[in-house]
Amino acid sequence: MKQVKPKMNVRVLPETLQMLDRHPRRSGVSKGSVVDAAIAHYCAPERQDDAVLERLNQHAKRLDRIGRDQRITAEMIALFVRYYLSVTPALSEEAQRLAKQTGAKRFEQFIERVTERVRGGGGLTAEVAEDLTPTAADFFGTEKEASR
């Protein structure tokens, strides 16, 4: 016994309707079968799985970039510390005591600044990039000349 399919009325673009009119004549299938297959393909769970996989791949790439950036940052800090330790002379006990006090104060200021930047969403790299981005005045002299 033949299965009765429910009827559905839809509106499509004229170009889509022309493609639909041409395709079944060439392939020997009904328009309804083509539309049915297209909707089934569009709504298929595999298609949704593909979209999820694509998003996961994008996230994986971003995480890889973050990991790379962290490795670069760690290497830069390590090189800086090595250089600093190699060029800084040893201090006497009295000078070490004073340096520790001064260092503690400076460290507190440093932590406060880092906290402010993190809370404010700003970052030194963005600030440096902004400072290095050329403006019209860099190319044309003054802002007045650049606006001409």
Side-chain angles (χ1 to χ4, degrees):
M1 186 171 151
K2 191 173 182 181
Q3 180 183 7
V4 177
K5 296 180 182 178
K7 188 173 182 175
M8 182 173 128
N9 292 320
V10 295
R11 294 180 188 272
V12 295
L13 295 171
E15 298 85 23
T16 306
L17 186 59
Q18 287 175 354
M19 286 190 305
L20 186 60
D21 285 339
R22 283 193 305 265
H23 182 74
R25 275 188 268 153
R26 284 184 282 158
S27 62
V29 295
S30 69
K31 289 180 187 179
S33 296
V34 172
V35 171
D36 191 41
I39 292 171
H41 174 72
Y42 184 80
C43 297
E46 297 85 25
R47 180 178 159 89
Q48 294 169 358
D49 290 345
D50 290 345
V52 169
L53 287 175
E54 179 61 30
R55 294 286 294 173
L56 287 173
N57 286 337
Q58 290 172 356
H59 287 295
K61 287 177 185 176
R62 287 184 189 131
L63 286 173
D64 287 344
R65 263 186 257 131
I66 290 169
R68 184 203 68 206
D69 292 349
Q70 285 181 330
R71 287 189 301 277
I72 290 169
T73 302
E75 190 62 29
M76 286 177 11
I77 291 170
L79 287 173
F80 172 77
V81 168
R82 175 187 272 171
Y83 173 77
Y84 179 80
L85 293 174
S86 67
V87 298
T88 304
L91 299 175
S92 66
E93 286 186 33
E94 178 61 25
Q96 279 184 353
R97 188 182 60 73
L98 292 173
K100 284 181 182 179
Q101 290 174 349
T102 304
K105 289 177 189 173
R106 289 180 179 175
F107 186 74
E108 284 299 319
Q109 292 172 342
F110 171 74
I111 294 299
E112 287 173 12
R113 295 252 166 67
V114 169
T115 303
E116 288 170 11
R117 284 183 173 275
V118 170
R119 283 188 182 145
L124 184 59
T125 53
E127 206 174 282
V128 169
E130 187 176 309
D131 289 345
L132 295 177
T133 303
T135 63
D138 295 329
F139 292 110
F140 301 106
T142 65
E143 288 293 329
K144 192 175 188 179
E145 292 173 8
S147 63
R148 289 185 198 168

